[in-house]
Amino acid sequence: MHKERIRRVLSLCFIVLLWSPFSASNATEVTDYERARWDPIHFKPAIDNATDEQCLACHQEVLEPSVKPQSPAGVKATDALAWYQTLDVYSGDQETFHRRHLVTPLAKKLMNLKCNFCHQGNGPRDETPYPDTKGDGSYTLRKMVNPEETCLRCHGQFNYKIMTGLPGHWNDVREMMGNSCLSCHAIFRTERHQVNYLNADAIEAATKEKTADGKENSDICFGCHGGRAWYQLEFPYPRHAWKGQDPKVPDWAKDRPTESEERFRLPAKPVVEKVADKVVEKVADKPAAAAKADTAAKPAKSATDAKKASD
Amino acid sequence: METQQKDTAKIKEAIKRRKRVVYQPVVPDMQLGFVHHNVDCIGCRACEMACKDKNGLPPGPRFRRVQYVEGGTYPDVYAYKVNMSCNHCAQPACLPTCPTGAIWKHKENGVVDIDSTLCIGCRRCEAACPFGAPQFDPSDGLVKKCNLCIDELEAGRKPYCVAACMMRVLDVGPIDQIREGKFESKAIGPHDTTVRAIKNLANPNLTNPSIAFVPHSKAKVDI
């Protein structure tokens, strides 16, 4: 009886051992929905390096046109105008939010947005970015993204009260100002578009485009900045100074960052030549003896060496 | 026929002109809003169930959501709940984004309502809302949202979620009175004070949501 029991247990163990490699391989091969939800790509730090291709492998439906031709009550999409369709610079039918920010011709021309520009990870349980247990987790309750850190990088209230020489909201003074933002902003130009999520050169070129009758058109600027002011906040994005700007920071700009977050910065331009030039200038400015001492102390940084390096 | 076509074009042009310049949020006679006690809420989700039942929602969309917030390191650990539906904002972001006019704000009580039969499923409201209120229903491709059980309000009753709350930690009332501590409710204890923002809530200055919280000590923020 005892032997029989041992034999049964051993045969059961043998069957389990025999099947275990198959079950393990099945577990690794099959990515079911629940497994996919908890994939590391949905969390920090993997999401920081996630490519659009990786995201779209599962979420490709966000780029499919899904606006219905008509509502259940019979309102036709072609009869309804979305705000962006009232702009002179937009042409085309109604589009979804994702498509208008990623794949429509205007989006492709002016922007370079990636999925992880907005989506910084989320916890599947409550559909909010997952908090670590030690800190805040920097997540937004009941929202996949934080609008303050995404939408407001471009869209915000048109704060005309702080703009010198502007008598009212652009909606009211557009014609008075010749429908041209550049009549002022040709001088007051910040470096704001110099970020990796925008095509700065294309935006510059677009601002110079005129309407068919040769007039200036502010829609190219106002379409993003101030036009779609669904939120009551003004622009909290970094305030990059323009050339010749008063170094004194006005009250309304206090505590505003002066540089974009690291993840949005463009790769640094080659600086070897500039460094060399600066060293040349520095050495030339110094008295000969001081320059000599400086050169002796740091031979590799001498003007000649720097010049060689730049060559 | 020609005149009719001309009129259509004229109307469309007028809509275009008006739409690009005008968005003035409705200022209600009285703004209703929610109050939620973060600490006493046990997270039973009876409010969620009652809401889904009342609105006939399929699996997926949830007008009201109870969120479990947990954190800390032993022995300093904490857990509390945040319970939100549509916050019926003073300046709702969803409303002006809607191309068909399906969303509107009631003048008498500030409820932000939706007529989903006018929805074309563009989901712009869903993207614009900082609090995740508009819910896309994949079963019919339309967006729906909490309307504060407007029919119940008009009948002199409270919304289903409030009625279902067994802990009495959720209530609805004039948001000004709630914020000033003048609103009598079981959701606000005798020594409790309410706040308009808690940790990890989207900035309330975005749309001025009509909600107040009795915050957990770990949920307090300076706004």
Side-chain angles (χ1 to χ4, degrees):
Chain A
M1 187 66 185
H2 185 65
K3 276 184 183 173
E4 178 64 17
R5 189 177 290 173
I6 291 172
R7 199 178 62 79
R8 276 188 188 169
V9 169
L10 282 175
S11 58
L12 195 68
C13 288
F14 179 71
I15 291 167
V16 168
L17 280 171
L18 201 68
W19 275 98
S20 58
F22 293 102
S23 51
S25 76
N26 279 348
T28 50
E29 278 172 18
V30 178
T31 303
D32 60 26
Y33 179 65
E34 286 304 322
R35 241 172 237 283
R37 289 176 81 201
W38 292 95
D39 192 288
I41 201 170
H42 291 139
F43 308 97
K44 294 264 185 189
I47 198 161
D48 287 336
N49 299 316
T51 62
D52 283 3
E53 288 72 27
Q54 285 175 301
C55 301
L56 294 171
C58 293
H59 300 283
Q60 70 273 23
E61 81 282 354
V62 300
L63 294 185
E64 285 165 12
S66 62
V67 178
K68 288 171 176 288
Q70 76 173 41
S71 79
V75 177
K76 288 181 182 159
T78 48
D79 288 346
L81 277 178
W83 192 88
Y84 53 86
Q85 287 181 303
T86 66
L87 294 171
D88 296 333
V89 289
Y90 186 92
S91 57
D93 296 332
Q94 298 219 18
E95 286 281 13
T96 62
F97 172 84
H98 278 108
R99 285 180 59 80
R100 278 185 304 105
H101 283 82
L102 293 168
V103 295
T104 52
L106 193 66
K108 278 187 171 172
K109 183 179 161 190
L110 304 180
M111 298 186 283
N112 189 27
L113 293 176
K114 309 272 182 228
C115 301
N116 61 5
F117 171 81
C118 298
H119 296 278
Q120 286 285 292
N122 68 283
R125 191 179 64 175
D126 276 329
E127 294 186 5
T128 54
Y130 203 65
D132 62 90
T133 52
K134 289 177 186 169
D136 290 357
S138 302
Y139 67 107
T140 309
L141 288 166
R142 217 190 165 188
K143 188 75 181 168
M144 291 285 193
V145 303
N146 184 353
E148 209 177 348
E149 291 179 3
T150 51
C151 314
L152 285 187
R153 294 208 183 272
C154 299
H155 313 305
Q157 279 290 338
F158 188 79
N159 196 2
Y160 65 91
K161 288 170 190 162
I162 60 163
M163 297 187 202
T164 315
L166 205 59
H169 195 283
W170 194 249
N171 285 335
D172 306 321
V173 301
R174 179 197 305 263
E175 298 308 323
M176 194 196 301
M177 305 301 289
N179 199 21
S180 169
C181 301
L182 290 182
S183 55
C184 290
H185 287 277
I187 306 162
F188 303 127
R189 296 312 305 275
T190 66
E191 299 293 325
R192 279 174 194 151
H193 296 144
Q194 302 293 332
V195 280
N196 60 13
Y197 57 87
L198 296 173
N199 295 330
D201 293 342
I203 293 172
E204 275 309 305
T207 58
K208 293 180 177 69
E209 287 171 14
K210 296 192 175 175
T211 55
D213 49 355
K215 288 183 179 170
E216 300 273 358
N217 191 349
S218 63
D219 273 3
I220 194 70
C221 304
F222 192 62
C224 291
H225 300 304
R228 297 162 197 208
W230 316 138
Y231 302 127
Q232 302 304 305
L233 291 180
E234 288 92 26
F235 312 117
Y237 47 60
R239 182 170 180 264
H240 296 177
W242 58 84
K243 212 175 177 182
Q245 184 187 8
D246 188 345
K248 194 185 164 199
V249 179
D251 283 344
W252 54 264
K254 270 178 186 160
D255 302 327
R256 281 254 299 264
T258 54
E259 201 164 19
S260 286
E261 277 173 49
E262 199 170 343
R263 71 187 180 112
F264 299 135
R265 288 181 208 161
L266 291 168
K269 288 174 187 168
V271 290
V272 180
E273 209 166 314
K274 282 186 179 172
V275 169
D277 291 342
K278 273 186 183 171
V279 174
V280 171
E281 281 169 22
K282 243 185 180 176
V283 172
D285 287 342
K286 284 181 181 178
K292 203 175 176 182
D294 204 1
T295 315
K298 299 171 187 174
K301 295 261 176 148
S302 73
T304 326
D305 286 351
K307 192 74 184 158
K308 271 183 192 168
S310 71
D311 292 341
Chain B
M1 186 67 187
E2 200 183 326
T3 322
Q4 200 178 356
Q5 275 179 349
K6 270 184 187 170
D7 283 346
T8 311
K10 264 172 94 175
I11 290 165
K12 218 166 179 180
E13 191 54 42
I15 293 171
K16 187 177 175 181
R17 204 168 47 244
R18 187 173 182 276
K19 197 153 200 163
R20 73 180 303 160
V21 297
V22 177
Y23 167 53
Q24 295 296 335
V26 168
V27 181
D29 305 332
M30 179 266 293
Q31 176 69 57
L32 284 177
F34 286 105
V35 57
H36 178 245
H37 199 301
N38 291 169
V39 189
D40 287 350
C41 177
I42 58 169
C44 68
R45 299 186 191 266
C47 51
E48 276 190 24
M49 290 300 114
C51 174
K52 286 196 78 130
D53 190 21
K54 199 257 178 177
N55 292 291
L57 292 177
R62 283 189 274 176
F63 290 172
R64 177 164 289 284
R65 187 160 298 190
V66 180
Q67 296 141 103
Y68 286 53
V69 182
E70 296 145 1
T73 309
Y74 180 82
D76 184 23
V77 293
Y78 62 89
Y80 61 90
K81 316 291 179 293
V82 181
N83 185 344
M84 286 199 299
S85 65
C86 172
N87 294 326
H88 303 279
C89 303
Q91 292 96 23
C94 58
L95 195 155
T97 65
C98 181
T100 61
I103 302 175
W104 77 99
K105 193 169 174 68
H106 288 261
K107 177 87 171 96
E108 62 277 17
N109 50 23
V111 170
V112 179
D113 205 343
I114 186 168
D115 181 350
S116 293
T117 65
L118 302 177
C119 176
I120 53 170
C122 71
R123 302 178 73 170
R124 296 179 67 210
C125 52
E126 189 191 23
C129 173
F131 309 104
Q135 296 281 298
F136 182 70
D137 184 347
S139 67
D140 55 14
L142 302 174
V143 174
K144 298 160 186 179
K145 67 178 278 302
C146 157
N147 66 355
L148 226 152
C149 292
I150 190 79
D151 48 342
E152 292 294 304
L153 292 178
E154 285 169 358
R157 294 188 290 266
K158 296 214 169 183
Y160 269 47
C161 53
V162 172
C165 181
M166 63 188 81
M167 294 298 288
R168 299 286 182 260
V169 292
L170 186 67
D171 206 349
V172 69
I175 195 68
D176 291 345
Q177 291 181 27
I178 291 173
R179 286 177 182 150
E180 288 166 14
K182 292 176 183 166
F183 182 67
E184 277 193 28
S185 167
K186 287 201 165 53
I188 309 169
H191 303 295
D192 288 337
T193 49
T194 61
V195 293
R196 65 191 287 254
I198 51 169
K199 193 174 76 176
N200 294 328
L201 183 77
N203 191 338
N205 294 329
L206 288 165
T207 58
N208 198 3
S210 306
I211 188 165
F213 301 96
V214 178
H216 187 276
S217 60
K218 299 282 186 183
K220 288 179 180 169
V221 287
D222 299 325
I223 283 191

